Amino acid sequence: MSYGEFAYIYDELMRDVDYEQWILFFKERVSHFNKKHPLRVLDIGCGTGEIAIRLAKEGFEVVGVDLSEDMLAVANNKAMEAGVKIEFYQQDMVEISGLDPFDVIVIFCDSLNYLRTEEDVQKTFQNVFKLLEHDGLFLFDVHSVYKMDSIFMDGPFVSSDEEVSFIWNCFEGEHPHSVEHELSFFVKNKHSDDYTRFDEFHEQRTFPIQTLQNWLERIGFKVVNVLADFSNPVQETSERILFTAKK
């Protein structure tokens, strides 16, 4: 899934996201490591680098991977401005290869939900397993089945802002627990009061918790815990499911 023009307004749209909560979750999960060198971290689906940059500032050695060239261009510029060293690579998480082993691999912010087939999810899990050091951790999140089947279907969602506005329509996808997102953005031009419109189409799919856990264990992972919304037990109406798995 390539984000195109979306990459250049992504941070504006995500300005209310509490990224510090993601960093706190990460640090709590890796607190047991006792290594003399900085933990080596791979951020798959790193987008504009917001989490990768924050991890680098915390002293971790970070590598970022994303499918979108535009997202990586934004991420690289932000990393240079922040004064942190991060290697960024354009790769598909389903085919990721050619990297040295990592202590921790993350796929955050529902990036895994952009994989539409069971085979692609399992191949990604296998790739992660191969890239992890022994006892390494795999941290990822997904939209819950409830969110895909119920919350998204409550649309359309509309945001009216002076700089960027959007209309977001959601439709049931062709696969179980999948959604098709149709988004129209209206971005204010810098030197006039006019707005430029562009459209994006995205597809996401999720799977039941037990299905994901079975795939992880079949590959060789031990599922350490499964939480909802960062710190809560999973409930029927939980919206974000976070996995911690160990090689």
Side-chain angles (χ1 to χ4, degrees):
M1 171 60 64
S2 178
Y3 276 81
E5 294 174 278
F6 186 45
Y8 299 98
I9 62 167
Y10 182 81
D11 286 336
E12 175 67 21
L13 295 171
M14 300 290 283
R15 64 183 184 275
D16 293 331
V17 173
D18 186 0
Y19 286 110
E20 288 305 314
Q21 195 170 31
W22 289 97
I23 303 305
L24 179 61
F25 173 79
F26 177 92
K27 291 171 68 175
E28 288 175 345
R29 301 279 80 75
V30 306
S31 60
H32 70 282
F33 279 102
N34 185 23
K35 293 192 174 185
K36 295 181 179 180
H37 60 81
L39 291 181
R40 183 169 159 81
V41 181
L42 176 61
D43 183 1
I44 298 178
C46 65
T48 62
E50 196 65 36
I51 289 177
I53 291 167
R54 290 169 186 266
L55 289 175
K57 286 181 176 181
E58 292 281 347
F60 300 104
E61 180 184 339
V62 185
V63 173
V65 169
D66 202 275
L67 181 60
S68 169
E69 182 179 358
D70 294 294
M71 285 284 193
L72 291 174
V74 174
N76 191 57
N77 287 336
K78 287 168 60 177
M80 288 191 294
E81 290 175 0
V84 295
K85 182 180 178 181
I86 301 175
E87 296 178 355
F88 291 105
Y89 298 96
Q90 184 182 12
Q91 288 200 43
D92 186 336
M93 69 176 76
V94 179
E95 305 293 342
I96 193 167
S97 63
L99 301 175
D100 293 331
F102 295 88
D103 299 301
V104 187
I105 296 178
V106 304
I107 308 179
F108 283 160
C109 299
D110 56 81
S111 295
L112 194 74
N113 288 130
Y114 282 95
L115 302 181
R116 289 176 286 171
T117 69
E118 297 181 5
E119 292 76 17
D120 281 354
V121 176
Q122 293 178 68
K123 285 175 66 176
T124 298
F125 286 172
Q126 290 168 353
N127 293 337
V128 170
F129 191 84
K130 292 175 183 177
L131 286 170
L132 274 176
E133 298 277 14
H134 179 67
D135 288 335
L137 287 184
F138 177 30
L139 312 177
F140 70 94
D141 72 285
V142 292
H143 291 315
S144 68
V145 168
Y146 168 74
K147 185 172 184 178
M148 296 292 271
D149 293 350
S150 300
I151 299 297
F152 281 131
M153 294 302 108
D154 286 340
F157 307 100
V158 178
S159 174
S160 179
D161 187 83
E162 184 176 348
E163 300 298 325
V164 181
S165 299
F166 65 81
I167 301 172
W168 174 10
N169 288 296
C170 301
F171 304 95
E172 184 177 352
E174 62 176 303
H175 302 291
H177 317 308
S178 67
V179 174
E180 297 178 353
H181 306 280
E182 292 184 356
L183 301 105
S184 295
F185 295 94
F186 305 87
V187 182
K188 187 177 181 180
N189 298 319
K190 291 184 178 180
H191 305 296
S192 72
D193 291 330
D194 297 333
Y195 286 78
T196 298
R197 171 179 172 168
F198 67 90
D199 299 307
E200 290 273 332
F201 178 77
H202 297 255
E203 298 177 83
Q204 288 190 308
R205 183 182 184 184
T206 202
F207 297 90
I209 292 173
Q210 191 59 54
T211 298
L212 293 168
Q213 184 163 330
N214 289 344
W215 291 341
L216 289 165
E217 292 174 346
R218 192 179 306 157
I219 290 166
F221 283 105
K222 176 185 177 182
V223 177
V224 178
N225 62 40
V226 181
L227 298 173
D229 306 318
F230 293 103
S231 60
N232 301 319
V234 176
Q235 305 290 335
E236 184 177 346
T237 56
S238 299
E239 297 187 25
R240 186 181 299 277
I241 309 299
L242 295 103
F243 283 79
T244 300
K246 184 177 182 180
K247 179 173 178 177

